[in-house]
């Protein structure tokens, strides 16, 4: 049980912006920028790949609408969607959540992007293995 389950259950308060049968969205208490919003499926799963199709669809249906609300409320015109999976990938709360982080001046998500190169042989192996996993 994480703190987000307690928020979903109404046991601890949050600054709620949106709620439906499958999703709740509330302000992040440690905002990276003003208007930083968390979008959380009510289904109790730690990581994105564990989510049911139903929860995934419910999140996908409201994310763009919530991003529009963040932009309208803050005046921002740029934003990042961040979704961390696993402690190694910076996840602190082990219940799936999407961050909507507006870029406001210099405030917003800092992105380290260590790009490499993709060889033809590695691309071929990856495509083969991912397609096999998809069809398994
Ligand atoms: P992550 O590193 O992706 O797991 O991010 C967890 C986020 O949850 C952080 O940005 C925290 O500031 C935020 N957070 C933790 N507890 C609460 C809470 N009670 N209400 C709102 N946001 C929270």
């Amino acid at each position: 049980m994480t703190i987000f389950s307690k928020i979903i259950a109404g046991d601890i308060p949050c600054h709620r912006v949106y709620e439906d049968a499958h999703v709740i969205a509330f302000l992040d208490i440690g905002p990276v920028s003003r208007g930083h919003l968390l979008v959380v499926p009510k289904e109790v799963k730690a990581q994105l790949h564990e989510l049911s199709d139903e929860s995934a669809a419910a999140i996908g249906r409201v994310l763009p609408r919530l991003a529009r609300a963040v932009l309208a409320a803050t005046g921002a015109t740029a934003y990042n969607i961040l979704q961390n999976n696993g402690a190694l990938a910076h996840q602190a709360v082990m219940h799936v959540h999407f961050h909507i982080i507006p870029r406001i001046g210099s405030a917003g998500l800092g992105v380290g992007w260590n790009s490499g190169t993709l060889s033809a042989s590695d691309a071929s192996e990856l495509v083969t293995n991912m397609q096999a996993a998809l069809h398994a």
Side-chain angles (χ1 to χ4, degrees), residues 15-95:
H15 298 284
R16 188 176 56 205
V17 170
Y18 174 84
E19 184 165 12
D20 65 30
H22 299 287
V23 178
I24 187 169
F26 50 88
L27 296 179
D28 194 299
I29 45 158
V32 170
S33 59
R34 184 169 179 267
H36 182 167
L37 187 68
L38 297 176
V39 185
V40 182
K42 291 182 176 178
E43 186 178 9
V44 181
K45 296 291 181 193
Q47 299 192 15
L48 182 71
H49 61 273
E50 300 174 309
L51 271 190
S52 65
D53 285 355
E54 191 179 30
S55 280
I59 288 276
R61 198 159 46 82
V62 296
L63 257 184
R65 204 187 312 162
L66 290 168
R68 286 193 291 276
V70 169
L71 294 179
T74 61
T77 57
Y79 62 100
N80 295 92
I81 301 284
L82 175 67
Q83 204 280 310
N84 299 325
N85 295 281
L88 279 176
H90 231 281
Q91 184 179 10
V93 177
M94 297 301 163
H95 181 126

Side-chain angles (χ1 to χ4, degrees), residues 119-130:
S119 71
S121 61
D122 199 30
S124 168
E125 183 181 328
L126 286 166
V127 168
T128 299
N129 291 345
M130 287 182 194

